Amino acid sequence: MSDAFAPEFPVTEAPSMEWDAWGVAESRRHLSAQVQGLLQQALGVSAEQSPPPTESDTAVRDCTLSAGRLAALADLVGPDHIHTDTSTRLRHAGGKSTPDLLRRRETQLQDAPDAVLLPGSHDEVMAVLRFCAGDAVAVVPFGGGTSVVGGVDPARGRFDSVIALDLRRLNALTDLDPISGVATLQAGVTGPQAEQLLGEHGFSLGHFPQSFQFATIGGFAATRSSGQASAGYGRFDDMIEWLKVATPSGTLELGRAPASAAGPDLRELFIGSEGTLGIITEVGLRVHPVPERTAYQAWSFPDFETGAAALRTVIQSGSAPTVMRLSDEAETGINLALSGDIGGDSPTAGCLAITTFEGTDAHVEARYAEATALLAAAGGNALGEAPAQAWEHGRFDAPYLRDALLSAGAIAETLETATRWSNLANLRSAVTTALTESLAAQGTPPLVMCHISHTYPTGASLYFTVVCAQTADPLSQWATAKRAAGDAIMAAGGTITHHHAVGRDHRPWMETEVGALGARVLRAAKDAIDPSGILNPGKLIP
Amino acid sequence: MSDAFAPEFPVTEAPSMEWDAWGVAESRRHLSAQVQGLLQQALGVSAEQSPPPTESDTAVRDCTLSAGRLAALADLVGPDHIHTDTSTRLRHAGGKSTPDLLRRRETQLQDAPDAVLLPGSHDEVMAVLRFCAGDAVAVVPFGGGTSVVGGVDPARGRFDSVIALDLRRLNALTDLDPISGVATLQAGVTGPQAEQLLGEHGFSLGHFPQSFQFATIGGFAATRSSGQASAGYGRFDDMIEWLKVATPSGTLELGRAPASAAGPDLRELFIGSEGTLGIITEVGLRVHPVPERTAYQAWSFPDFETGAAALRTVIQSGSAPTVMRLSDEAETGINLALSGDIGGDSPTAGCLAITTFEGTDAHVEARYAEATALLAAAGGNALGEAPAQAWEHGRFDAPYLRDALLSAGAIAETLETATRWSNLANLRSAVTTALTESLAAQGTPPLVMCHISHTYPTGASLYFTVVCAQTADPLSQWATAKRAAGDAIMAAGGTITHHHAVGRDHRPWMETEVGALGARVLRAAKDAIDPSGILNPGKLIP
């Protein structure tokens, strides 16, 4: 790291998440008695479960690495940066999907990586990959551990051992080009660290996915993350100018210019590769000056279709707000119930939409005027700033609520897709029906909510939240519903994932997504780069 | 083709270009005596050349395909759609770079494909590829034949024979989704045909590269074309939602949604693949309603650096016009001289910038106000509409002018690159110096002009035009200068091509562009898809 970019104060250390729940203990949510009563009444949710095992009485699979191999690995990263204790291994035992969290609550043996390594540089990552390729050890790259698709499961593939490569020590801003608005950040920089490092220079990245507080730059790139401000600042893949990737076959540096016609865009092969083709160690990103101002406006639409058409008009006009999202009737109603606002000023029917506008004063004013005129003309009823500010205030809280729901005996999970505008209603209906029928058939009729959080001129994402009572075997219960939803998504022409990535959980649909020949091309690329197959086996590539 | 999209009138037939010049004969340009005098005085250009051979006295390499193989190929596309006559073969003998045109003027044997096939469907393309893979015949896909990098040269690689696959019969609009703004066009649709087909439904593609009048949808996709309205509508790669690709290993259909996190974006492997990985037969493209209105404003800046900084401010603010470009001092002066406007109202010093704004009335007004305020604040002097309208009127004429310059004894050629804003002045200076020194050392000091025609938040393109006197061996003269320019681009951190693609001419720099491992990945993808190596050998992949 060049001295020029050493932060004035040390970068705030990234917090580790709880081993068996989202986030950190001090932010844990509890359900009010009123909400618990509602869950019982509406969905038959009951909290009469045996309490889950604590960390100290959890059995973890033994480390399979010999002392000699551990010593060799320790030589590569330094003895302080390799861990084989149960606590560290458990905290790298997987991501944070609902099935992940349900598995943590089981009493059976927990799988975990055999060791956790924290390399301090690209060269150390390269050294570890060379060792593992030669010594038949699988490697799972680990950023914030926020995967909800099994992307950081300690899968061994055909190998006896697997290590987690935790990139948290790669946490520097290594270059900032203020003229071009390009910042180079190491892969282990978390969302808040990125904003801190850039903020000291007057810049912002503006990437705010729900995992923002824990997830990392490398993870955002490796999974094609999309933040809540994607209408304004683009998806994470749009922001990437340059990538540095460590692979068993050498180092790649891709992206010589803002745009190029020099053949296929190889960045796009490594963006979204989820650690199966290489480990992203550094990313050059488009950044922007810290906004002078943010304007907020919330809207009510009579129904989802009217709201979706209104959002479409705005994004197709080229006048996008920074944030633009729309909840359906069910989500609008439930959010209201959970926030305790029933009976307040907020609407109790219809669909809530949120818009925010960031930038210079002049830019915010122009965009606000353009978008507001279009939304009003399309049937929107302006609700003022407060609901939009309330949304922003609570926007990273939902995963904490899920833990509380799981503890209360509910299944709570999300899934997402995207399609063209003309297919949006059809896809939403197909997925809602599949989830509802599958769970009702298991005796647990669900509540299915949906929102649009990412819009494009040609289409939009759909994000579903499902809540129902747990059966005696909630893992199998959800697996059945998830399979039905995935099949419905593919049959109705959606993509199997708009921003959660593939990991283990969406892999069964990948061949449908890219076709048999597309899958062959992915395998050919992997064979060329990772001939021994150590990189994140069992993920993504069908 | 579904009947719903049959055009009301038959789509206008795509004109074939002259065998030895750009475009069509009726648009040919001639230099005035005044301009010829200027060329003689300033650059020592002299037209005392022997007249070039006409088509009838040009010797063309014999067809190497046996009657049996030709009959087999005729079976696949129908006997009316295979041509082995000299005239058709000559018109598929290469693209339209200055070296291409200089080679046409030589008396030696002209290389040409052994046959020209015009398939009528994706399935016919597949059948031809299967035959050629089994029968060891190289295949060069051919759209408008406008390549300026040797992309459609009839290179045989390790094969005895090569065919050109002319896609002009694939000229239909096969689907239009007006809600989503997505049109599906076949690969052989030319720029004007696309606007005609879409215009009947009230839509426009808005892709206007200099090759617009002849080049095709498939070619735009296969070469990552960028149009003059890229600030407003994006590069061609940005517009692509969906691709259908014929390969010797099967068909690929890529792009299920406007955005996806389902792994690497395989579209980006085939976009820009220049026929080396497959033949693009159909493309789903983002389109927009025909603009209600276009506003024009031209600007004068005191110097290139001030103008470039002004354009940067506009594009970084998110308030881009539809077209935004800036000519340097030399180009501004020469364009003025050529248009005969010297002494008129136009400025004779400084740098000319052009902006246009398209869309709804409200959108045009808002954008115009925002961009105009920024450009004026950044030192621009508004010149009114006329120079911008004049630029638009003549925007496809430059290649015709080049033919006139070649006939007058000059070398006239262009090359282009892109880089970050912070490196723009350095790159421009490096390339100008390399071209000037290389040609001066050969006794022909050049005039080197430059413009910015494509801007991005993080950087911009640089487009150079070079004019000098021809030596006795103009092909070798230009090859030396081109080598110096390419080396200078790479040394100064630019990309070897921003929108002309790689073809044969930029291939020497591809390994530097993507790295040794990147090149290996490209070769691995090719081996998986095209194991016999018949697809456009000798192009792109190092």
Side-chain angles (χ1 to χ4, degrees):
Chain A
M1 192 179 96
S2 102
D3 277 353
F5 300 103
E8 200 173 334
F9 304 100
V11 70
T12 308
E13 205 183 325
S16 279
M17 287 202 283
E18 296 290 296
W19 73 283
D20 60 348
W22 182 265
V24 291
E26 53 271 31
S27 299
R28 207 162 262 191
R29 291 274 297 262
H30 298 281
L31 301 183
S32 67
Q34 190 202 358
V35 169
Q36 288 189 40
L38 272 171
L39 284 168
Q40 170 103 52
Q41 271 175 28
L43 301 172
V45 170
S46 152
E48 287 165 25
Q49 300 177 302
S50 47
T54 60
E55 183 173 353
S56 58
D57 54 34
T58 293
V60 179
R61 178 175 175 152
D62 287 336
C63 171
T64 60
L65 288 164
S66 68
R69 294 167 99 191
L70 287 171
L73 286 165
D75 275 350
L76 302 177
V77 294
D80 292 347
H81 305 303
I82 178 166
H83 302 282
T84 54
D85 61 287
T86 303
S87 172
T88 305
R89 289 171 58 217
L90 256 188
R91 279 168 180 73
H92 295 80
K96 299 294 180 186
S97 69
T98 291
D100 288 333
L101 299 176
L102 290 170
R103 272 190 288 269
R104 303 285 173 277
R105 291 162 185 264
E106 292 187 333
T107 50
Q108 70 197 44
L109 196 67
Q110 297 284 333
D111 198 1
D114 295 301
V116 178
L117 273 73
L118 285 74
S121 68
H122 175 87
D123 289 347
E124 288 187 8
V125 174
M126 286 295 293
V128 171
L129 292 186
R130 275 191 297 264
F131 176 89
C132 291
D135 227 57
V137 176
V139 179
V140 179
F142 199 97
T146 61
S147 173
V148 291
V149 294
V152 292
D153 282 6
R156 286 165 171 74
R158 60 184 184 82
F159 305 101
D160 294 330
S161 304
V162 59
I163 60 163
L165 211 55
D166 185 320
L167 300 166
R168 68 176 56 219
R169 289 176 62 217
L170 301 181
N171 65 354
L173 171 69
T174 53
D175 189 50
L176 177 65
D177 174 347
I179 303 292
S180 310
V182 179
T184 309
L185 290 160
Q186 287 182 313
V189 171
T190 66
Q193 287 175 337
E195 292 300 332
Q196 182 195 347
L197 289 164
L198 292 168
E200 288 183 18
H201 301 275
F203 284 90
S204 169
L205 179 58
H207 185 68
F208 302 110
Q210 204 163 53
S211 60
F212 170 77
Q213 293 165 311
F214 304 97
T216 60
I217 296 297
F220 295 147
T223 62
R224 295 188 181 272
S225 172
S226 192
Q228 292 162 349
S230 69
Y233 303 122
R235 295 166 56 84
F236 199 76
D237 46 18
D238 294 331
M239 299 177 178
I240 297 177
E241 290 277 314
W242 177 86
L243 276 179
K244 187 168 181 177
V245 190
T247 85
S249 301
T251 294
L252 284 148
E253 294 191 41
L254 297 167
R256 283 184 71 89
S260 172
D265 189 344
L266 289 178
R267 289 176 305 185
E268 297 286 352
L269 193 60
F270 293 89
I271 301 171
S273 64
E274 303 186 22
T276 64
L277 300 179
I279 314 260
I280 295 165
T281 58
E282 214 169 342
V283 187
L285 290 157
R286 186 181 71 216
V287 297
H288 55 271
V290 170
E292 286 176 13
R293 180 183 154 199
T294 305
Y296 299 86
Q297 183 61 273
W299 297 85
S300 177
F301 288 93
D303 54 60
F304 190 74
E305 283 62 38
T306 304
L311 267 54
R312 175 168 70 82
T313 306
V314 172
I315 194 83
Q316 288 183 341
S317 77
S319 314
T322 308
V323 170
M324 182 163 67
R325 45 195 295 131
L326 172 74
S327 294
D328 73 356
E329 292 85 347
E331 189 174 283
T332 302
I334 291 295
N335 281 344
L336 217 56
L338 289 175
S339 68
D341 262 4
I342 292 179
D345 291 338
S346 299
T348 52
C351 294
L352 180 71
I354 303 294
T355 56
T356 78
F357 302 82
E358 292 183 0
T360 60
D361 279 343
H363 190 69
V364 166
E365 267 166 46
R367 287 299 163 89
Y368 183 92
E370 240 182 302
T372 296
L374 290 167
L375 290 169
N381 176 26
L383 301 177
E385 297 185 341
Q389 287 167 333
W391 166 80
E392 189 178 75
H393 180 72
R395 64 179 169 166
F396 304 129
D397 291 351
Y400 287 107
L401 181 62
R402 180 182 55 165
D403 286 312
L405 287 164
L406 292 179
S407 293
I411 291 267
E413 184 56 310
T414 65
L415 54 86
E416 36 78 66
T417 179
T419 193
R420 291 189 192 167
W421 289 110
S422 59
N423 191 42
L424 205 68
N426 169 52
L427 180 59
R428 175 165 166 256
S429 160
V431 177
T432 304
T433 302
L435 286 166
T436 305
E437 288 183 353
S438 169
L439 287 163
Q442 299 181 68
T444 53
L447 177 71
V448 180
M449 302 166 269
C450 184
H451 67 241
I452 293 173
S453 42
H454 305 272
T455 54
Y456 307 92
T458 55
S461 67
L462 288 173
Y463 189 95
F464 297 89
T465 303
V466 189
V467 183
C468 66
Q470 288 180 24
T471 65
D473 184 358
L475 272 168
S476 136
Q477 175 195 9
W478 177 248
T480 301
K482 172 76 179 176
R483 203 156 45 236
D487 289 346
I489 285 172
M490 298 317 275
T495 176
I496 194 60
T497 173
H498 168 268
H499 61 271
H500 281 171
V502 177
R504 254 182 168 173
D505 297 358
H506 291 143
R507 193 167 168 243
W509 292 282
M510 265 302 278
E511 188 148 331
T512 308
E513 180 86 25
V514 299
L517 184 52
R520 238 166 86 190
V521 172
L522 289 176
R523 287 192 292 268
K526 181 162 177 83
D527 288 345
I529 299 162
D530 176 28
S532 53
I534 56 162
L535 288 173
N536 219 5
K539 318 290 168 61
L540 175 64
I541 299 177
Chain B
M1 191 178 96
S2 105
D3 276 354
F5 300 104
E8 199 171 336
F9 304 100
V11 69
T12 308
E13 206 184 323
S16 279
M17 287 202 283
E18 296 291 295
W19 73 283
D20 60 348
W22 181 265
V24 292
E26 53 270 33
S27 299
R28 208 163 261 190
R29 290 274 297 262
H30 298 281
L31 300 183
S32 66
Q34 189 200 0
V35 169
Q36 288 188 39
L38 272 171
L39 284 168
Q40 169 102 52
Q41 272 176 26
L43 300 172
V45 170
S46 154
E48 287 166 25
Q49 300 178 300
S50 48
T54 61
E55 184 172 355
S56 58
D57 53 34
T58 292
V60 179
R61 178 174 175 151
D62 286 336
C63 171
T64 60
L65 289 163
S66 67
R69 294 167 100 190
L70 287 171
L73 286 166
D75 275 350
L76 302 177
V77 294
D80 292 346
H81 305 302
I82 179 165
H83 303 283
T84 54
D85 60 285
T86 302
S87 173
T88 306
R89 288 173 58 217
L90 255 189
R91 278 168 180 75
H92 294 79
K96 298 294 180 187
S97 69
T98 291
D100 288 333
L101 299 176
L102 290 170
R103 273 189 288 268
R104 303 284 172 276
R105 292 163 184 261
E106 292 187 335
T107 50
Q108 71 198 45
L109 196 69
Q110 298 283 335
D111 198 2
D114 296 299
V116 177
L117 272 73
L118 286 73
S121 67
H122 175 88
D123 289 347
E124 287 187 7
V125 174
M126 287 294 294
V128 171
L129 293 185
R130 274 192 298 264
F131 176 89
C132 290
D135 228 56
V137 176
V139 179
V140 178
F142 200 97
T146 61
S147 173
V148 291
V149 294
V152 293
D153 282 6
R156 285 163 170 75
R158 61 187 184 79
F159 307 100
D160 294 330
S161 302
V162 60
I163 61 163
L165 210 56
D166 186 321
L167 301 166
R168 69 176 56 218
R169 289 177 64 216
L170 301 181
N171 66 354
L173 171 69
T174 53
D175 189 51
L176 177 66
D177 174 348
I179 303 291
S180 310
V182 179
T184 309
L185 290 160
Q186 288 183 313
V189 171
T190 65
Q193 287 175 338
E195 293 300 331
Q196 182 194 348
L197 289 163
L198 292 169
E200 289 184 17
H201 301 275
F203 284 90
S204 169
L205 179 58
H207 186 68
F208 302 110
Q210 203 163 56
S211 60
F212 169 78
Q213 293 165 312
F214 305 96
T216 60
I217 296 297
F220 295 148
T223 62
R224 294 188 181 272
S225 172
S226 192
Q228 291 161 349
S230 69
Y233 303 123
R235 295 165 56 84
F236 199 76
D237 45 18
D238 294 331
M239 298 178 179
I240 297 177
E241 290 277 313
W242 176 86
L243 275 180
K244 188 167 182 178
V245 190
T247 85
S249 302
T251 293
L252 284 148
E253 295 190 41
L254 297 167
R256 284 185 70 89
S260 172
D265 189 344
L266 289 178
R267 290 175 305 186
E268 297 287 352
L269 192 60
F270 292 89
I271 300 171
S273 64
E274 302 184 23
T276 64
L277 301 180
I279 314 260
I280 296 164
T281 59
E282 212 171 344
V283 187
L285 290 159
R286 186 182 70 216
V287 296
H288 56 270
V290 171
E292 286 177 14
R293 181 182 154 201
T294 305
Y296 300 85
Q297 183 63 272
W299 297 84
S300 176
F301 288 93
D303 53 61
F304 190 73
E305 282 62 37
T306 305
L311 267 54
R312 175 168 70 82
T313 305
V314 172
I315 195 82
Q316 288 184 340
S317 77
S319 315
T322 309
V323 170
M324 182 163 67
R325 45 195 295 130
L326 172 74
S327 294
D328 73 356
E329 292 84 348
E331 189 173 283
T332 301
I334 291 294
N335 282 345
L336 218 54
L338 289 175
S339 68
D341 262 4
I342 291 177
D345 291 339
S346 300
T348 53
C351 293
L352 181 70
I354 303 293
T355 56
T356 78
F357 302 83
E358 291 184 1
T360 60
D361 280 342
H363 190 70
V364 166
E365 268 165 47
R367 284 302 163 88
Y368 183 93
E370 239 182 304
T372 297
L374 289 168
L375 290 169
N381 178 26
L383 301 177
E385 298 184 342
Q389 287 168 332
W391 165 80
E392 190 179 73
H393 180 73
R395 63 180 170 165
F396 303 128
D397 292 351
Y400 288 107
L401 182 61
R402 181 182 53 166
D403 286 313
L405 286 164
L406 292 178
S407 293
I411 290 268
E413 184 57 309
T414 64
L415 53 87
E416 36 78 67
T417 178
T419 192
R420 292 190 191 167
W421 288 109
S422 59
N423 191 41
L424 205 68
N426 169 53
L427 180 59
R428 177 167 166 255
S429 158
V431 177
T432 304
T433 301
L435 286 166
T436 305
E437 288 183 353
S438 169
L439 288 163
Q442 298 182 69
T444 53
L447 177 70
V448 180
M449 300 167 269
C450 184
H451 67 241
I452 294 173
S453 42
H454 305 273
T455 55
Y456 306 91
T458 55
S461 67
L462 288 174
Y463 190 94
F464 297 89
T465 303
V466 189
V467 183
C468 66
Q470 288 179 24
T471 64
D473 183 358
L475 272 168
S476 135
Q477 176 195 9
W478 177 249
T480 301
K482 172 76 180 177
R483 204 156 44 236
D487 290 347
I489 285 172
M490 298 318 274
T495 176
I496 194 61
T497 172
H498 169 268
H499 61 270
H500 281 170
V502 177
R504 256 182 167 174
D505 298 357
H506 291 143
R507 192 167 168 242
W509 291 282
M510 265 302 278
E511 188 149 329
T512 307
E513 181 86 26
V514 301
L517 184 52
R520 239 166 87 190
V521 172
L522 289 176
R523 286 191 292 267
K526 181 162 177 83
D527 288 345
I529 300 162
D530 176 27
S532 55
I534 56 162
L535 288 172
N536 219 5
K539 318 290 168 61
L540 177 63
I541 299 177

